[in-house]
Amino acid sequence: MARFDPGVTEPKWQTAWDEAGTFTATRDESRPKYYVLEMFPYPSGRIHMGHVRNYTMGDVVARYKIATGHNVLHPMGWDAFGMPAENAAMAIGGHPKDWTYGNIATMKEQMKPLGLSIDWSREFATCDPDYYGQQQALFLDFLEKGLVYRKNAVVNWDPVDMTVLANEQVENGRGWRSGALVERRELTQWFFKISDFSEELLDALDTLEDWPAKVRLMQENWIGRSRGLQFSFDRTDAGDPITVYTTRPDTLLGASFVGISPDHPIAKAMEADSTELAAFLKEARKGGTTEEAIETAEKLGYDTGIRVRHPLNPDWELPVWIANFILMDYGTGAIFGCPAHDQRDLDFCRKYDLPVIDTFFGLDDQTPVKTEAFVPPKTEKVKWINHFAGLDVATGQQAIDATIDFAEKQGWGQGVTKFRLRDWGLSRQRYWGCPIPVVHCDACGVVPEKKENLPIRLPDDVSFDKPGNPLDRHPTWRDCSCPACGAPARRETDTMDTFVDSSWYFARFTAPRAETPTDMAEADYWMNVDQYIGGIEHAILHLLYSRFFARAMHICGHLPEKSKEPFNALFTQGMVTHEIYQTRDANDRPVYHLPEDVEDGKLAATGEAVEIIPSAKMSKSKKNVVDPVNIISSYGADTARWFVLSDSPPERDVEWTAAGADAAFKHLGRVWRIAEEVAAAQDAPTGEDEALLREMHKAIRDVTLGVESFGFNAAIAKLYAFTNALAKSKAGAEAKRQATKTLAQLMSPMTPHLSEDIWALLGGEGLVAEAAWPQADEAMLVENTVTLPIQINGKRRSEITVAKDLAKEEVEKIALADDAVVKALDGGQPKKLIVVPGRIVNVVI
RNA sequence: GCGGGCGUGAUGGAAUGGUAGACAUAUCGGACUUAAAAUCCGAAGGCCUUGUGCCGUGUGGGUUCGAGUCCCACCGCCCGCACCA
């Protein structure tokens, strides 16, 4: 008898699939296509369990769709540009290119044994000149259509290293290498005009029915449509009026100051004339550029001395303050502060001793605001004590609408719809990215590179011994001639944000070697992605940028109309977590240990007890990692695949435990043994055949439903139950053989290698990977009787078994005759009798 | 600070508003064995006064004949916040 030996059989079946070309995708108009895609990995150097989980889920979908007659596209590539390669070059030497391609080779080597149904012939890395050259072509097309432009934007500036820092390189407001306090500094940068699509990107969210509601909600809030009032405050001096935008114009009579951003033109204009103001602005510009850093920073204000007139009362003067929590990017970069109904404004006014004026109270609480602003929901009715648009008791929203009408009628303000979504800054002052294909010419200005000169390749001879962008200090790379006039010119040395790379790779997979960004015939056949799978951390940026790119690519003729929303269905999976094992060193500092070095709560080497910290995301620094390579070499890929799918619902985190992996391995061994016994048994029909076949059809129904709805853990629970039923069954050999072959098929998306073994053992035709998915026979699923629980006052007290379609009146009679009910009623009548057919009976007494 | 999500036995989790704890892990008991491993069979939310008992899905309220599920508030954890990928 053969052993269950994944080490031997897994490579065998992988070779068989390769030789049969099972997963090579070619256009075939005769079959429905299905495009399943997992978010491609960054080539960090080693695969981790999160990858295994992500790709196994995609693989289950892909294999299931093959079995149900689809022509499946399931590609894989590498999100290969980005900072880690440059950081590695700085830390350990070498070249980002060598580091990246080396990592790709290693990771591919580690992924192959998983037996994924990937069409590797379509593989590419975003750092391949062939890929980024086409990306440059896209950039030029976008430029021509007015979808790209240049403007100033702020970056994190490290004044010691004299370099731009990414947000993640800013730690507690300081540069990660120099430790210097980071400043915000303006640079001229390239932007995609995603804001032109704000409304469309928002409205189209409603069509994404197969996306998680939470992702759509997050994008809705991110795009942030708001209707408010835009109007101007006249200055008491001769200066230009200050235009503000507010979503709460109804609180205008509670205004106590006008606030402008430190980046507002007025602030900038005054900066040169006042050393005091310059010092304040320097202070206000300290810290990182993230919204979080700005909003949690201590509130700072500076009185400009400018005074403005209140639009409703020219005698009422308000001071103009510069405040560090006002963003230049949103609205007009200027607001009026209403401290009574905005906590930030209140904190600011208390700090600088500005007045606090209530404009409305709750209907039954007229306490003036002290330290907590009164901010009821806009749908709640409030009582106005300071009103001007004719309302006394109204909701906030009614008051806002009335105020906008009032201001428009009087002609001093306008209702305006604004979006929070900002244009997408794509410039990065870094080497390892896609060069922006433009040239700066003294005579012609900014000139696009000619398409025939693409790709603009990154130079190989660069060094990383200094901070900053090596392209900037390269002796010759910048030198070029102007594509327009031929005069000596300079290449743009900024490269593109790596989000650009990942915003169209899904389209490139449909024709990865095309000489244009896409091939319309291929794109038209394969697009859209039918099922996209990835982490929730990409809920906003990556997915929103991709939606923008798909629209822009359509405008430029690179994608069909139907691909404006490129991902038909989205699934966001959870992380893989593990317990953390910790001891303390002589200085009481934590020391972490790998799970493989710990046995029974003690260090295997020394016997020292470890502290066990509850599960957290696997991370190298906490050493709570399990290397998939080790798991596959000791248990095989099927065990790893089975376990990551079995223990948790896929959208939630899964905790990796050694015991769980061991149990998964044991279970697969058990299935293998059952198959061997069944294969060896002599046929002799028994009276138990039908019962087993009924279980089989129920399993087909439940597993199919589980796989289709991403209930992989539920599908696996059914497979366990079906395996138990099969093992205990007294059915004849032929029925058992049929049940076992079906079990192998139902398991094949999760454990493809073992399933091939069993399929072959039981004489299945061809590969199970290519066999048609089993169909549940409705007739075998019908149950004739049903057990109904009987509740008395909502608590389960008894149960009855009745015919499945027994009339409601009959069920009521039987229920009322039940001992427990008779006793509880004690001769009386029930107040109410609820019968939910097929579900439950509730007697209310 | 802002936006989004999650919270059920010792553990991972199951449950279209309708019998809470399916399935699995760990545990305990039994069979097989000289013994162990492997395998197979079985038990099991908590509590007590062992009953037709009480309690029980982060905490506190609410809606409902009925709430893990819906609503409100709070607590804890996770994701995102535009230059990490």
Side-chain angles (χ1 to χ4, degrees):
Chain A
M1 242 199 236
R3 267 183 333 127
F4 168 56
D5 190 351
V8 174
T9 60
E10 289 186 354
K12 182 178 89 184
W13 292 115
Q14 286 162 19
T15 306
W17 299 325
D18 280 348
E19 283 171 358
T22 308
F23 308 126
T24 307
T26 43
R27 234 160 87 204
D28 173 2
E29 306 286 348
S30 72
R31 282 187 295 165
K33 69 90 189 179
Y34 196 89
Y35 183 1
V36 56
L37 182 67
E38 301 97 54
M39 291 180 184
F40 66 165
Y42 179 79
S44 59
R46 289 195 81 76
I47 62 166
H48 53 73
M49 275 299 166
H51 292 126
V52 173
R53 193 175 190 214
N54 187 208
Y55 305 139
T56 301
M57 287 179 195
D59 203 47
V60 170
V61 174
R63 287 174 178 272
Y64 170 73
K65 289 293 173 181
I66 291 172
T68 50
H70 294 81
N71 187 26
V72 169
L73 173 59
H74 185 204
M76 181 60 67
W78 308 94
D79 190 12
F81 274 135
M83 292 203 308
E86 287 189 35
N87 293 339
M90 280 184 242
I92 57 173
H95 195 282
K97 184 173 163 182
D98 299 331
W99 186 84
T100 303
Y101 280 106
N103 284 352
I104 289 173
T106 314
M107 286 179 74
K108 192 174 170 184
E109 203 61 29
Q110 295 174 347
M111 272 168 77
K112 282 276 189 157
L114 279 169
L116 301 170
S117 61
I118 286 165
D119 178 0
W120 285 103
S121 74
R122 291 173 185 259
E123 175 191 6
F124 59 76
T126 55
C127 63
D128 296 343
D130 181 50
Y131 182 81
Y132 71 71
Q134 296 303 332
Q135 186 162 303
Q136 290 168 340
L138 283 178
F139 180 92
L140 294 176
D141 288 346
F142 286 13
L143 191 60
E144 198 183 315
K145 297 281 183 191
L147 296 165
V148 195
Y149 69 103
R150 295 217 306 164
K151 71 168 178 183
N152 285 347
V154 288
V155 294
N156 298 304
W157 181 256
D158 185 320
V160 170
D161 275 353
M162 303 289 280
T163 189
V164 176
L165 297 178
N167 285 335
E168 73 154 12
Q169 295 174 320
V170 179
E171 291 165 356
N172 300 319
R174 291 172 182 273
W176 68 345
R177 274 176 216 288
S178 69
L181 282 171
V182 169
E183 298 163 11
R184 293 194 288 269
R185 175 177 279 215
E186 277 200 337
L187 290 183
T188 304
Q189 312 207 59
W190 287 95
F191 283 82
F192 287 123
K193 285 207 91 181
I194 190 172
S195 65
D196 276 3
F197 298 80
S198 299
E199 184 130 44
E200 192 188 328
L201 288 168
L202 180 66
D203 291 343
L205 286 171
D206 290 339
T207 67
L208 301 176
E209 287 165 19
D210 291 324
W211 281 41
K214 65 181 168 187
V215 174
R216 289 184 290 170
L217 187 57
M218 280 191 256
Q219 291 213 358
E220 187 181 321
N221 290 334
W222 184 262
I223 296 169
R225 174 160 52 198
S226 65
R227 180 159 168 81
L229 184 72
Q230 188 158 312
F231 65 97
S232 297
F233 284 96
D234 288 330
R235 286 167 63 161
T236 54
D237 57 15
D240 290 334
I242 298 173
T243 304
V244 300
Y245 171 76
T246 176
T247 56
R248 290 308 298 260
D250 54 314
T251 63
L252 186 50
L253 284 170
S256 59
F257 68 99
V258 168
I260 63 174
S261 163
D263 299 311
H264 195 279
I266 292 176
K268 284 188 181 168
M270 291 173 69
E271 187 171 4
D273 304 329
S274 161
T275 52
E276 197 193 341
L277 174 55
F280 169 80
L281 289 177
K282 195 174 175 203
E283 191 62 31
R285 284 177 190 137
K286 282 215 177 107
T289 57
T290 67
E291 198 165 301
E292 184 189 6
I294 291 167
E295 293 212 15
T296 53
E298 192 196 347
K299 284 167 191 60
L300 296 175
Y302 179 90
D303 185 354
T304 60
I306 298 170
R307 295 293 176 267
V308 295
R309 296 186 197 287
H310 197 287
L312 300 171
N313 177 1
D315 297 332
W316 183 357
E317 291 187 7
L318 295 170
V320 178
W321 284 68
I322 299 169
N324 63 344
F325 58 87
I326 300 171
L327 301 169
M328 193 57 220
D329 289 316
Y330 187 63
T332 60
I335 59 153
F336 72 79
C338 175
H341 308 294
D342 183 296
Q343 192 61 43
R344 279 187 310 192
D345 294 349
L346 182 64
D347 294 344
F348 189 80
C349 287
R350 290 300 184 213
K351 178 165 179 179
Y352 293 105
D353 204 21
L354 294 161
V356 176
I357 307 156
D358 296 293
T359 65
F360 55 77
F361 289 123
L363 293 182
D364 41 33
D365 179 13
Q366 312 229 332
T367 321
V369 163
K370 289 191 186 74
T371 57
E372 213 164 296
F374 178 50
V375 193
K378 284 181 189 171
T379 50
E380 195 173 303
K381 281 196 174 178
V382 292
K383 179 167 175 53
W384 297 81
I385 52 165
N386 251 321
H387 60 92
F388 53 95
L391 293 161
D392 184 26
V393 171
T395 67
Q397 191 58 54
Q398 286 165 342
I400 291 166
D401 295 341
T403 308
I404 291 173
D405 283 351
F406 179 79
E408 284 183 343
K409 270 187 199 118
Q410 294 210 332
W412 54 268
Q414 262 187 326
V416 173
T417 298
K418 285 204 190 287
F419 295 90
R420 204 183 76 100
L421 180 65
R422 314 200 290 255
D423 277 333
W424 170 13
L426 68 118
S427 293
R428 297 292 181 271
Q429 295 70 38
R430 269 173 255 293
Y431 166 78
W432 194 232
C434 172
I436 294 174
V438 299
V439 166
H440 298 273
C441 170
D442 287 336
C444 311
V446 177
V447 185
E449 187 52 88
K450 289 182 178 156
K451 274 201 182 164
E452 60 260 36
N453 293 338
L454 301 184
I456 303 301
R457 286 170 181 269
L458 287 168
D460 286 335
D461 52 334
V462 287
S463 66
F464 293 89
D465 44 4
K466 291 180 219 136
N469 183 356
L471 294 177
D472 250 350
R473 52 172 191 264
H474 191 281
T476 56
W477 187 80
R478 299 175 63 169
D479 302 333
C480 62
S481 54
C482 171
C485 71
R490 297 171 315 281
R491 239 174 238 308
E492 169 73 62
T493 57
D494 282 356
T495 53
M496 296 186 202
D497 177 6
T498 56
F499 271 123
V500 181
D501 312 336
S502 56
S503 290
W504 71 287
Y505 76 109
F506 49 88
R508 184 70 181 167
F509 274 138
T510 63
R513 315 287 170 238
E515 309 258 312
T516 44
T518 59
D519 173 320
M520 261 306 206
E522 296 288 342
D524 199 48
Y525 176 77
W526 288 114
M527 287 298 284
N528 297 338
V529 176
D530 292 281
Q531 181 66 61
Y532 196 30
I533 305 169
I536 186 70
E537 66 272 21
H538 295 293
I540 297 175
L541 294 179
H542 162 61
L543 290 165
L544 192 60
Y545 290 159
S546 296
R547 295 176 63 216
F548 160 72
F549 242 71
R551 283 166 169 78
M553 286 175 75
H554 169 62
I555 289 169
C556 299
H558 296 300
L559 278 178
E561 167 91 27
K562 68 174 180 186
S563 300
K564 282 159 86 175
E565 285 300 341
F567 309 123
N568 290 351
L570 173 70
F571 188 86
T572 54
Q573 100 278 5
M575 299 178 299
V576 181
T577 64
H578 197 285
E579 293 179 325
I580 297 168
Y581 304 117
Q582 179 186 291
T583 53
R584 300 268 175 179
D585 68 8
N587 299 320
D588 207 36
R589 309 251 308 191
V591 179
Y592 299 106
H593 303 279
L594 289 166
E596 61 221 52
D597 297 336
V598 176
E599 228 170 89
D600 297 329
K602 296 190 184 84
L603 286 182
T606 64
E608 186 186 354
V610 296
E611 191 183 337
I612 297 175
I613 298 171
S615 273
K617 181 178 183 170
M618 285 190 178
S619 86
K620 278 186 201 161
S621 63
K622 296 281 193 312
K623 289 201 176 174
N624 60 336
V625 289
V626 174
D627 194 327
V629 173
N630 297 342
I631 298 296
I632 293 168
S633 62
S634 46
Y635 291 115
D638 282 345
T639 295
R641 296 168 58 115
W642 183 261
F643 180 75
V644 293
L645 294 173
S646 68
D647 242 32
S648 276
E651 69 275 13
R652 244 195 269 179
D653 294 348
V654 64
E655 181 177 355
W656 185 274
T657 62
D662 208 47
F665 180 75
K666 280 183 191 169
H667 176 73
L668 298 188
R670 180 178 182 226
V671 173
W672 172 242
R673 273 194 308 281
I674 291 171
E676 280 190 313
E677 281 167 27
V678 168
Q682 296 298 309
D683 193 24
T686 71
E688 304 282 328
D689 286 10
E690 188 180 323
L692 178 61
L693 294 178
R694 277 181 176 275
E695 287 302 319
M696 180 183 90
H697 284 281
K698 265 198 262 178
I700 294 171
R701 178 193 60 190
D702 293 344
V703 172
T704 303
L705 200 68
V707 169
E708 286 196 344
S709 64
F710 270 79
F712 302 129
N713 59 324
I716 283 181
K718 298 294 179 191
L719 286 167
Y720 269 111
F722 180 41
T723 304
N724 290 341
L726 173 60
K728 280 182 191 155
S729 171
K730 300 273 193 298
E734 190 44 47
K736 281 194 167 186
R737 192 165 289 145
Q738 201 188 336
T740 308
K741 273 176 77 178
T742 302
L743 175 65
Q745 274 192 292
L746 295 176
M747 288 173 72
S748 68
M750 296 99 169
T751 57
H753 312 88
L754 172 64
S755 292
E756 293 287 5
D757 279 342
I758 295 173
W759 186 254
L761 180 70
L762 296 178
E765 204 176 311
L767 293 166
V768 75
E770 295 180 339
W773 193 251
Q775 297 290 315
D777 179 353
E778 287 297 326
M780 296 290 271
L781 299 174
V782 177
E783 302 280 355
N784 294 321
T785 59
V786 60
T787 303
L788 295 181
I790 296 186
Q791 293 183 335
I792 295 170
N793 288 341
K795 294 201 174 192
R796 184 182 173 281
R797 283 292 182 263
S798 182
E799 63 182 33
I800 53 174
T801 301
V802 298
K804 187 172 173 275
D805 42 10
L806 191 68
K808 211 169 170 174
E809 296 73 32
E810 295 300 315
V811 175
E812 283 179 11
K813 259 186 225 165
I814 295 170
L816 288 174
D818 185 82
D819 284 352
V821 176
V822 170
K823 211 162 205 172
L825 282 172
D826 196 24
Q829 284 296 307
K831 269 193 210 152
K832 204 167 181 180
L833 188 57
I834 292 147
V835 176
V836 183
R839 277 292 182 190
I840 205 165
V841 179
N842 191 8
V843 186
V844 185
I845 295 171

